[in-house]
Amino acid sequence: MSSPTALPRVDVLTVDDTPANLRSLEVLMADLGANVVTASSGDEALRLLLDRDFALILLDVQMPGMDGYETASLIRMRERTRHIPIIFITANTRSEVNVTRGYELGAVDYLFKPIVPEVLRTKVGVFLDLHRKKEEVRRQAELLRQAENREHERQLAEARSQYERSLLEQEVERERKVSEAREQRAQELARLVQEKEQAQSALHESNARLRLLADTASRLLKGTDGRALLDGVHGQLTAHMGLEVCLGYLVQEGPGALSLATHAGIPSAMLPRMEYLEPGQGVAGRVVAENKRWVLDGGAAANGPVPDAAPELGLAAIACYPLISQGRVLGTLAFGTRSMRVFSPDELSLMQGVCDQVAVALERERLIGALRDADRRKDEFLAMLAHELRNPLAPVRHALEVFRMRMWQDDIIQRAISSADRQVAHMTRLVDDLLDVSRITRGKVELKPLPVSLTDLVEGAVQACEPIITQRHHELSVSLPPEQVMLNVDPTRMTQVVANLLHNAAKYTPSGGQIHLRAERQGEELMLSVRDNGIGLKPEMLHRVFELFVQVDPGSDRAQGGLGLGLTLVRSLVEMHGGSVSARSEGPSKGSEFTVRLPLPPEVPAALSLPNMVKAAASLNKLQPLHILLVEDNPDIRETLKDLLELHGHRVEEASDGRSAVDMVLSQHPQVALVDIGLPELDGYKVAELVRASAGGSTTRLVALTGYGHPEDRKRALEAGFDAHLVKPVSSDDLSQVLKKLCTAA
């Protein structure tokens, strides 16, 4: 009995940077009839493949230098080794391996460490058997060819019988059918490969289009300049689609002419002729007139006559889109090429999507500009409104103070005067709030931090709100820390914050209610709260109450009224000081509490006392009679203020224009000149400059009277030569304080 035929030896290449792994693989494949050739790197493996052929390659993925994927890629690039089966070996888990990449490089399978010997032997055995069978087929084919040659020789030499010729013909026919079947299979495989390549190409194109649209959308969201997006997007789109020319036009205001906003691929000599287009002129004019896209390419010969722009630019294919937003055509964007082509539906859709995004960006830019213009006009209107409101309030306040001094015996008249005075103060407060909100929103408020005690701030705020608290018969309790607490804040603005909170509590608390002001040190912060038992807040109002023009209960009967600005100012000023403010309420009719938190300075500075309003009011009686020149072109303001000053014992001269004021100051040398800024002929600033430029005007103290109360207005007045700046309507307390300060300093 003969022994079984031994399997022919087959060469197998194993590539791994670990010698132990190579030895293990060699042992596992020892009885499979394989000549195992080892390589410790990708470079060594490539050198071995130059000299000999292998039936199978076992390739480790993770190797220093050139990894398995790179080695496989180089193997596939060489014709001789392109079809050698590759099994990747990796220590990673299946979820961590980029299986798709391996199969794209022609891998036939993966083995995961630790390797199961049976799995390795089975998979390797399959490919070795396939290689042996392939070699056997090749050998048999060679033998067949040799047999056919011999048969042919015998036929030629010996003229074999017809039977043998018939057998030979049958064999040839069978081989022909096998060959045809193989050819058909090869063609089918080629078709599948081609379809796969086409699908991959389509996927690549789709991903590129999506990236372009995503990038355009991202730039649209991040930026506000639509023209910049128009400049940048055409470069990406033309590069993506292989185009050469881009033209972007924007519709001008008025007659609707088009102006060139962006371009690429246009000779500079042609630009002057293309800078402007009339409606209906060229591709862009036609698109604007018809309000629809216009495409001319190799498959759109039926689009009608070619517009003027296409032959002039030498374009064989062009697509132009209207930039439409809110039903308005903002401009056009066109893309073209000088080589004939047909735009695919995907390309047309991509161009449409990009143009829609550009149109949104342009409309957004227009709306932002309109909002800025409206905001600027609003601020200008508020400033003018404040000036126009303050002028009529000035004579009313002066007249009320004259009445109070002359009619002090009559209680009824005094009550009427007090009521009118409160309304004037309320009107002045509304005007100041409007201007404060305008300045804060424009970033015009400049804080002037000073070291000041918490006690002084609270006293100033309580004094400012005392009239409304007294009028509504509220009970106010104040609880402050026993030790002195110092703050580094703008005294005026922080007093305004506390006063606004107290005023808000008094306004929304019924008559006879309770208001509690409490402050305490909490670590590195000062906590100050104002709590009342008034109408309270609904849950949805706890955050909205700080918004501009928001009213807690706009339909309620509130004697103090208001515009919904006080709490907005509180939040803005507190945040400018680095603090925070919050609202809390258990619901309607259960009161509310507003809490302010401010950072405390690391070091305690020396305290600066705030002006005492009561002492300032009493200073009028202690002031010696003065010689005052009153310069005012409004007769009502001039006469009422003159009467008020004369009632306090001052000698008052009048002037109604700037030129007369300069002459009277230089000739009569008054101690004080109260000068209105808005004078005819020469305004107040010019009056101050002329007086200060003359040696005879150096002894007169100049006080500016104006309806404009911005910090820049005060700065300009002081730079012009004024010693003080007062905003109309001026109270006798404020005026007396300034007069005493100036005359004492003199």
PDB file of all heavy atoms in Angstrom, residues 110 248 258 272 301 330 339 348 392 420 477 512 516 593 656 661:
ATOM      1  N   TYR A 110      -9.302  39.374   8.919  1.00  0.00           N
ATOM      2  CA  TYR A 110      -8.606  39.877  10.102  1.00  0.00           C
ATOM      3  C   TYR A 110      -8.446  38.725  11.101  1.00  0.00           C
ATOM      4  O   TYR A 110      -9.363  37.880  11.271  1.00  0.00           O
ATOM      5  CB  TYR A 110      -9.403  40.988  10.774  1.00  0.00           C
ATOM      6  CG  TYR A 110      -9.123  42.370  10.272  1.00  0.00           C
ATOM      7  CD1 TYR A 110      -9.817  42.892   9.191  1.00  0.00           C
ATOM      8  CD2 TYR A 110      -8.165  43.175  10.880  1.00  0.00           C
ATOM      9  CE1 TYR A 110      -9.568  44.160   8.724  1.00  0.00           C
ATOM     10  CE2 TYR A 110      -7.910  44.450  10.421  1.00  0.00           C
ATOM     11  CZ  TYR A 110      -8.609  44.948   9.349  1.00  0.00           C
ATOM     12  OH  TYR A 110      -8.359  46.222   8.910  1.00  0.00           O
ATOM     13  N   GLY A 248     -20.626  88.523  -8.843  1.00  0.00           N
ATOM     14  CA  GLY A 248     -21.651  88.835  -7.847  1.00  0.00           C
ATOM     15  C   GLY A 248     -22.079  90.284  -7.968  1.00  0.00           C
ATOM     16  O   GLY A 248     -21.241  91.193  -7.894  1.00  0.00           O
ATOM     17  N   LEU A 258     -27.597  97.538 -10.918  1.00  0.00           N
ATOM     18  CA  LEU A 258     -26.765  96.530 -10.279  1.00  0.00           C
ATOM     19  C   LEU A 258     -25.318  97.006 -10.241  1.00  0.00           C
ATOM     20  O   LEU A 258     -24.803  97.544 -11.227  1.00  0.00           O
ATOM     21  CB  LEU A 258     -26.841  95.206 -11.049  1.00  0.00           C
ATOM     22  CG  LEU A 258     -28.224  94.563 -11.167  1.00  0.00           C
ATOM     23  CD1 LEU A 258     -28.163  93.348 -12.054  1.00  0.00           C
ATOM     24  CD2 LEU A 258     -28.763  94.193  -9.808  1.00  0.00           C
ATOM     25  N   PRO A 272     -14.192  97.782 -15.826  1.00  0.00           N
ATOM     26  CA  PRO A 272     -14.924  99.060 -15.879  1.00  0.00           C
ATOM     27  C   PRO A 272     -16.248  98.966 -16.621  1.00  0.00           C
ATOM     28  O   PRO A 272     -17.224  99.617 -16.247  1.00  0.00           O
ATOM     29  CB  PRO A 272     -13.933  99.996 -16.594  1.00  0.00           C
ATOM     30  CG  PRO A 272     -12.586  99.413 -16.300  1.00  0.00           C
ATOM     31  CD  PRO A 272     -12.797  97.939 -16.295  1.00  0.00           C
ATOM     32  N   ALA A 301     -29.541  74.237 -24.603  1.00  0.00           N
ATOM     33  CA  ALA A 301     -29.509  75.087 -25.790  1.00  0.00           C
ATOM     34  C   ALA A 301     -30.853  75.740 -26.053  1.00  0.00           C
ATOM     35  O   ALA A 301     -30.941  76.719 -26.800  1.00  0.00           O
ATOM     36  CB  ALA A 301     -29.093  74.269 -27.003  1.00  0.00           C
ATOM     37  N   LEU A 330     -32.014  90.861  -3.750  1.00  0.00           N
ATOM     38  CA  LEU A 330     -30.905  91.661  -3.223  1.00  0.00           C
ATOM     39  C   LEU A 330     -29.740  91.751  -4.208  1.00  0.00           C
ATOM     40  O   LEU A 330     -28.917  92.658  -4.107  1.00  0.00           O
ATOM     41  CB  LEU A 330     -30.407  91.057  -1.906  1.00  0.00           C
ATOM     42  CG  LEU A 330     -31.470  90.836  -0.831  1.00  0.00           C
ATOM     43  CD1 LEU A 330     -30.836  90.199   0.395  1.00  0.00           C
ATOM     44  CD2 LEU A 330     -32.153  92.129  -0.464  1.00  0.00           C
ATOM     45  N   SER A 339     -15.083  76.211 -20.793  1.00  0.00           N
ATOM     46  CA  SER A 339     -15.136  74.922 -21.480  1.00  0.00           C
ATOM     47  C   SER A 339     -16.554  74.370 -21.389  1.00  0.00           C
ATOM     48  O   SER A 339     -17.210  74.503 -20.355  1.00  0.00           O
ATOM     49  CB  SER A 339     -14.141  73.942 -20.853  1.00  0.00           C
ATOM     50  OG  SER A 339     -14.433  73.769 -19.478  1.00  0.00           O
ATOM     51  N   LEU A 348     -26.312  72.112  -9.501  1.00  0.00           N
ATOM     52  CA  LEU A 348     -27.278  73.217  -9.500  1.00  0.00           C
ATOM     53  C   LEU A 348     -27.887  73.393  -8.110  1.00  0.00           C
ATOM     54  O   LEU A 348     -28.092  74.523  -7.647  1.00  0.00           O
ATOM     55  CB  LEU A 348     -28.371  72.951 -10.535  1.00  0.00           C
ATOM     56  CG  LEU A 348     -27.915  72.951 -11.999  1.00  0.00           C
ATOM     57  CD1 LEU A 348     -29.065  72.540 -12.908  1.00  0.00           C
ATOM     58  CD2 LEU A 348     -27.383  74.314 -12.406  1.00  0.00           C
ATOM     59  N   PRO A 392     -39.240 123.489  29.998  1.00  0.00           N
ATOM     60  CA  PRO A 392     -40.503 123.932  30.616  1.00  0.00           C
ATOM     61  C   PRO A 392     -40.620 123.578  32.094  1.00  0.00           C
ATOM     62  O   PRO A 392     -41.382 124.222  32.823  1.00  0.00           O
ATOM     63  CB  PRO A 392     -41.575 123.217  29.786  1.00  0.00           C
ATOM     64  CG  PRO A 392     -40.895 122.112  29.107  1.00  0.00           C
ATOM     65  CD  PRO A 392     -39.484 122.536  28.895  1.00  0.00           C
ATOM     66  N   ALA A 420     -47.723 119.779  43.416  1.00  0.00           N
ATOM     67  CA  ALA A 420     -47.130 120.116  42.124  1.00  0.00           C
ATOM     68  C   ALA A 420     -45.627 119.883  42.136  1.00  0.00           C
ATOM     69  O   ALA A 420     -45.041 119.415  41.145  1.00  0.00           O
ATOM     70  CB  ALA A 420     -47.442 121.570  41.766  1.00  0.00           C
ATOM     71  N   SER A 477     -37.825 100.260  57.861  1.00  0.00           N
ATOM     72  CA  SER A 477     -36.838  99.833  58.858  1.00  0.00           C
ATOM     73  C   SER A 477     -35.521  99.559  58.144  1.00  0.00           C
ATOM     74  O   SER A 477     -35.500  98.974  57.056  1.00  0.00           O
ATOM     75  CB  SER A 477     -37.311  98.568  59.585  1.00  0.00           C
ATOM     76  OG  SER A 477     -37.464  97.485  58.685  1.00  0.00           O
ATOM     77  N   GLY A 512     -49.513 102.365  53.910  1.00  0.00           N
ATOM     78  CA  GLY A 512     -49.398 101.791  55.246  1.00  0.00           C
ATOM     79  C   GLY A 512     -48.586 100.511  55.295  1.00  0.00           C
ATOM     80  O   GLY A 512     -48.524  99.867  56.353  1.00  0.00           O
ATOM     81  N   HIS A 516     -38.389  96.905  54.389  1.00  0.00           N
ATOM     82  CA  HIS A 516     -37.225  96.566  55.204  1.00  0.00           C
ATOM     83  C   HIS A 516     -35.979  96.634  54.321  1.00  0.00           C
ATOM     84  O   HIS A 516     -35.897  95.955  53.295  1.00  0.00           O
ATOM     85  CB  HIS A 516     -37.356  95.156  55.792  1.00  0.00           C
ATOM     86  CG  HIS A 516     -38.624  94.953  56.577  1.00  0.00           C
ATOM     87  ND1 HIS A 516     -38.750  95.327  57.891  1.00  0.00           N
ATOM     88  CD2 HIS A 516     -39.817  94.425  56.212  1.00  0.00           C
ATOM     89  CE1 HIS A 516     -39.977  95.031  58.316  1.00  0.00           C
ATOM     90  NE2 HIS A 516     -40.640  94.478  57.310  1.00  0.00           N
ATOM     91  N   GLU A 593     -38.738  90.712  47.280  1.00  0.00           N
ATOM     92  CA  GLU A 593     -37.437  91.069  47.844  1.00  0.00           C
ATOM     93  C   GLU A 593     -36.409  91.135  46.719  1.00  0.00           C
ATOM     94  O   GLU A 593     -36.313  90.209  45.903  1.00  0.00           O
ATOM     95  CB  GLU A 593     -36.997  90.043  48.887  1.00  0.00           C
ATOM     96  CG  GLU A 593     -35.656  90.395  49.548  1.00  0.00           C
ATOM     97  CD  GLU A 593     -35.267  89.406  50.627  1.00  0.00           C
ATOM     98  OE1 GLU A 593     -35.912  88.336  50.722  1.00  0.00           O
ATOM     99  OE2 GLU A 593     -34.317  89.696  51.381  1.00  0.00           O
ATOM    100  N   SER A 656     -30.429 138.422  27.784  1.00  0.00           N
ATOM    101  CA  SER A 656     -31.175 137.426  27.021  1.00  0.00           C
ATOM    102  C   SER A 656     -30.384 136.865  25.836  1.00  0.00           C
ATOM    103  O   SER A 656     -30.904 136.032  25.103  1.00  0.00           O
ATOM    104  CB  SER A 656     -32.481 138.037  26.500  1.00  0.00           C
ATOM    105  OG  SER A 656     -32.199 139.161  25.676  1.00  0.00           O
ATOM    106  N   ALA A 661     -24.427 139.278  27.372  1.00  0.00           N
ATOM    107  CA  ALA A 661     -23.875 138.670  28.588  1.00  0.00           C
ATOM    108  C   ALA A 661     -22.386 138.951  28.722  1.00  0.00           C
ATOM    109  O   ALA A 661     -21.897 139.306  29.804  1.00  0.00           O
ATOM    110  CB  ALA A 661     -24.127 137.167  28.563  1.00  0.00           C
TER     111      ALA A 661
END
